[in-house]
Amino acid sequence: MVFRKPPDGGWGWVIVLVSFFTQFLCYGSPLAVGVLYLEWLDAFGEGKGKTAWVGSLANGIGLLASPVCSICVSSFGARPVAIFSGFMVAGGLMMSSFAPNIYFLYVSYGIVVGLGCGLLYTATVTITCQYFDKRRGLALGLISTGSSVGLFIYAALQRELIELYGLDGCLLIVGALSLNILACGSLMRPLESSGSPPPEKTCVDKVPDQYIVYHEKGKTVEENISILEKGYGDEKCVNNVPDCKQDIILNKNVLSSINANEKDTYKRKVVEQTNFCKQLAKRKWQLYLTYWKETVVLFKNKVFSALFVAILLFDIGGFPPSLLMEDVARSANINEDDYYMPLISIIGIMTTVGKLILGILADFKWVNTLYLYVTTLLMTGVALFAIPFAKSYLTLAMLSGILGFLTGNWSIFPYVTTKTVGIEKLTHAYGILMFFAGLGNSLGPPIVGWFYDWTQEYDTAFYFSGFCVLLGGFLLLLAALPCWNACTNQGSKLPPNTYSYKVSSSV
């Protein structure tokens, strides 16, 4: 497939629009799953830790499966994957309305919806990057706000639908809304060169049909002649028995006319194809070994290793509030009449604000993006420690806003990764980090829920969450300090392709 130069506009803005609505429609319900979480607790009577697995799987499985999602988009294209994933998200939500138990929800909502969201995220990012080059940062920033706006609107929408139609009706309606992803996906026209010549055939495609027969049978030329002779003769015998013997003799004479040069050509083609397969297997094996060697080199960079620990601990501790904050308010016996806005909606709108403001700050040359990211981690840990002391709607709303704003640090995470490992290794490093981010998303809410089941209060759970985030922030800060780099590198040379943050920040 031959792509034209990214137009940085034109139909690209349509791609931005439909990608925004795609993320809005697919991530709205999973990110606002805290509203459904309360209903599932009452409907199935399971523990908070077990019930929290539903939402954590829906948000984490897409990140865990990011390598598979990338392969699917690369193999089939963004538009087919988006349309197929739209069916997955809508079908998973509708099936969840018929869930007889919590284990059914693990599959229908957690895995099916979560995997569909992961595929859609990869498809929207890929198609947007194809259409934009100079304005790629702006385009990606615009589509990323779709999930945050979805969280803001779906939190209130799902609560209203539950009051009007019940939990099952809410899931059916939300699933029906998700079918609009099909319309959005159909507009993701691939950026192909319409007048481009067809790709040149590979050596496999150039092999003649006679060779294919010869190769599939795995026999000598003489044996293939016998096979063709027998097949032709049998067919003629069925249609015209009297002429059977005569036709067989004639066919034998024709086939035996193949000269020695043709036989040599067949044999040469077999050797060429065998060598081609051997070289292909060797090349794939070399790519596999190179991938793991580069992974080892990445982890030799202590800032990257600290970043990997920080993102894992941040998602274990920082993700649960978006899922459990509504239940925290109910556990604090806050009257629902005091609610001016769902707490999850506050988190959603402030996440959008945080993404924009932190992204703008990261563009200033005098701002060190790594230290800015560390600051958001430390402030998140302090806010999590403050949740057990919040006993009113106003204080919980303020903490929800602060946590939502700080969660917007996702917008600067690619900046931090680039400055840490360099632009050449960004794709490799970012894929590893996203895998562990998904692992943290999957484990965080169940761990907090298990703490509640064990202690019957959320205080210990959020102390644990705050400790995880603070620990990750301090480790990352320690690894990034210039004095620490000077001490560890004194008298020793950095390994090849290993960067300290100071070095890579000049990229």
Side-chain angles (χ1 to χ4, degrees):
M1 182 179 294
V2 179
F3 293 104
R4 296 196 302 266
K5 183 180 179 181
D8 277 300
W11 191 260
W13 294 118
V14 178
I15 297 295
V16 169
L17 181 64
V18 297
S19 297
F20 172 88
F21 279 108
T22 296
Q23 293 203 17
F24 170 85
L25 292 167
C26 74
Y27 277 105
S29 181
L31 289 178
V33 73
V35 176
L36 304 175
Y37 172 75
L38 298 177
E39 301 299 322
W40 287 329
L41 283 174
D42 297 335
F44 301 115
E46 300 286 354
K48 295 182 185 292
K50 184 181 290 187
T51 307
W53 270 111
V54 181
S56 62
L57 283 174
N59 286 278
I61 200 72
L63 293 174
L64 288 172
S66 55
V68 178
C69 297
S70 299
I71 292 173
C72 291
V73 174
S74 299
S75 302
F76 304 106
R79 179 158 59 182
V81 169
I83 294 174
F84 175 76
S85 303
F87 281 112
M88 287 186 65
V89 173
L93 289 169
M94 292 180 180
M95 285 193 300
S96 299
S97 65
F98 303 100
N101 51 54
I102 200 70
Y103 303 103
F104 187 91
L105 285 174
Y106 290 163
V107 178
S108 63
Y109 197 98
I111 297 178
V112 176
V113 175
L115 187 57
C117 290
L119 287 168
L120 285 168
Y121 177 80
T122 306
T124 54
V125 170
T126 301
I127 193 72
T128 303
C129 289
Q130 290 175 1
Y131 271 85
F132 289 89
D133 183 17
K134 296 179 181 179
R135 301 178 180 176
R136 183 175 295 168
L138 174 62
L140 291 175
L142 289 174
I143 70 171
S144 68
T145 58
S147 58
S148 301
V149 176
L151 169 59
F152 171 70
I153 294 178
Y154 269 75
L157 176 64
Q158 291 185 147
R159 174 175 289 180
E160 190 67 24
L161 290 175
I162 289 172
E163 292 180 358
L164 294 175
Y165 305 105
L167 176 61
D168 297 342
C170 170
L171 289 169
L172 283 174
I173 294 173
V174 171
L177 286 175
S178 300
L179 288 173
N180 288 287
I181 296 174
L182 306 182
C184 295
S186 64
L187 294 173
M188 294 181 182
R189 187 171 63 199
L191 185 66
E192 294 183 55
S193 179
S194 56
S196 60
E200 185 181 356
K201 289 185 178 182
T202 62
C203 60
V204 179
D205 299 326
K206 293 179 181 178
V207 178
D209 295 338
Q210 297 93 329
Y211 162 66
I212 298 298
V213 174
Y214 173 80
H215 180 67
E216 288 179 353
K217 296 299 180 182
K219 299 177 181 297
T220 63
V221 176
E222 290 76 8
E223 288 174 331
N224 277 277
I225 292 174
S226 301
I227 292 171
L228 292 174
E229 173 191 335
K230 184 177 182 302
Y232 179 79
D234 290 343
E235 182 179 357
K236 294 295 292 182
C237 286
V238 173
N239 296 328
N240 194 355
V241 176
D243 298 334
C244 176
K245 186 174 182 180
Q246 182 180 358
D247 288 341
I248 290 176
I249 296 173
L250 178 62
N251 183 48
K252 183 176 181 180
N253 293 332
V254 171
L255 291 175
S256 61
S257 64
I258 299 177
N259 55 36
N261 291 333
E262 290 176 332
K263 296 178 183 180
D264 294 338
T265 301
Y266 295 149
K267 293 179 181 180
R268 186 171 64 254
K269 290 295 183 181
V270 172
V271 174
E272 290 177 358
Q273 179 62 9
T274 303
N275 291 334
F276 170 76
C277 293
K278 289 180 179 179
Q279 292 297 326
L280 181 62
K282 184 178 180 180
R283 187 182 307 169
K284 294 293 184 182
W285 178 248
Q286 289 296 331
L287 290 174
Y288 179 79
L289 292 178
T290 302
Y291 175 85
W292 285 109
K293 289 178 181 178
E294 291 179 353
T295 303
V296 172
V297 171
L298 283 175
F299 278 98
K300 289 181 179 179
N301 184 343
K302 57 183 173 295
V303 178
F304 176 81
S305 299
L307 191 62
F308 138 74
V309 176
I311 191 64
L312 176 63
L313 294 177
F314 172 74
D315 279 278
I316 289 177
F319 177 67
S322 62
L323 175 61
L324 305 173
M325 192 61 81
E326 297 292 332
D327 193 47
V328 171
R330 186 169 71 170
S331 301
N333 297 320
I334 296 176
N335 191 353
E336 292 188 3
D337 296 335
D338 297 335
Y339 276 50
Y340 301 103
M341 183 185 296
L343 297 175
I344 299 179
S345 294
I346 297 175
I347 294 176
I349 195 64
M350 290 305 297
T351 300
T352 304
V353 175
K355 285 180 178 179
L356 294 175
I357 294 179
L358 292 174
I360 293 172
L361 287 175
D363 286 333
F364 289 108
K365 293 183 179 180
W366 51 270
V367 174
N368 188 310
T369 52
L370 181 61
Y371 292 152
L372 178 62
Y373 185 75
V374 170
T375 302
T376 61
L377 294 183
L378 299 179
M379 293 178 66
T380 300
V382 174
L384 290 170
F385 271 113
I387 289 179
F389 301 98
K391 301 300 180 183
S392 66
Y393 172 81
L394 181 60
T395 53
L396 281 177
M398 292 176 61
L399 289 173
S400 297
I402 293 172
L403 288 170
F405 179 86
L406 296 172
T407 305
N409 62 7
W410 275 99
S411 64
I412 64 173
F413 190 72
Y415 284 78
V416 176
T417 308
T418 304
K419 294 298 184 78
T420 302
V421 302
I423 191 65
E424 306 87 3
K425 301 183 180 181
L426 174 62
T427 303
H428 187 181
Y430 200 72
I432 295 173
L433 294 174
M434 287 301 98
F435 175 84
F436 286 101
L439 185 62
N441 272 348
S442 301
L443 295 177
I447 290 175
V448 172
W450 289 330
F451 269 109
Y452 183 92
D453 294 335
W454 179 37
T455 62
Q456 295 302 309
E457 44 86 18
Y458 275 115
D459 294 358
T460 306
F462 281 104
Y463 290 148
F464 169 79
S465 297
F467 172 77
C468 287
V469 178
L470 284 176
L471 177 62
F474 278 121
L475 288 175
L476 185 56
L477 177 62
L478 182 64
L481 287 176
C483 60
W484 171 254
N485 288 329
C487 292
T488 55
N489 296 332
Q490 187 176 8
S492 64
K493 231 179 175 181
L494 282 172
N497 299 323
T498 306
Y499 309 95
S500 70
Y501 186 78
K502 184 177 180 182
V503 172
S504 58
S505 62
S506 61
V507 175

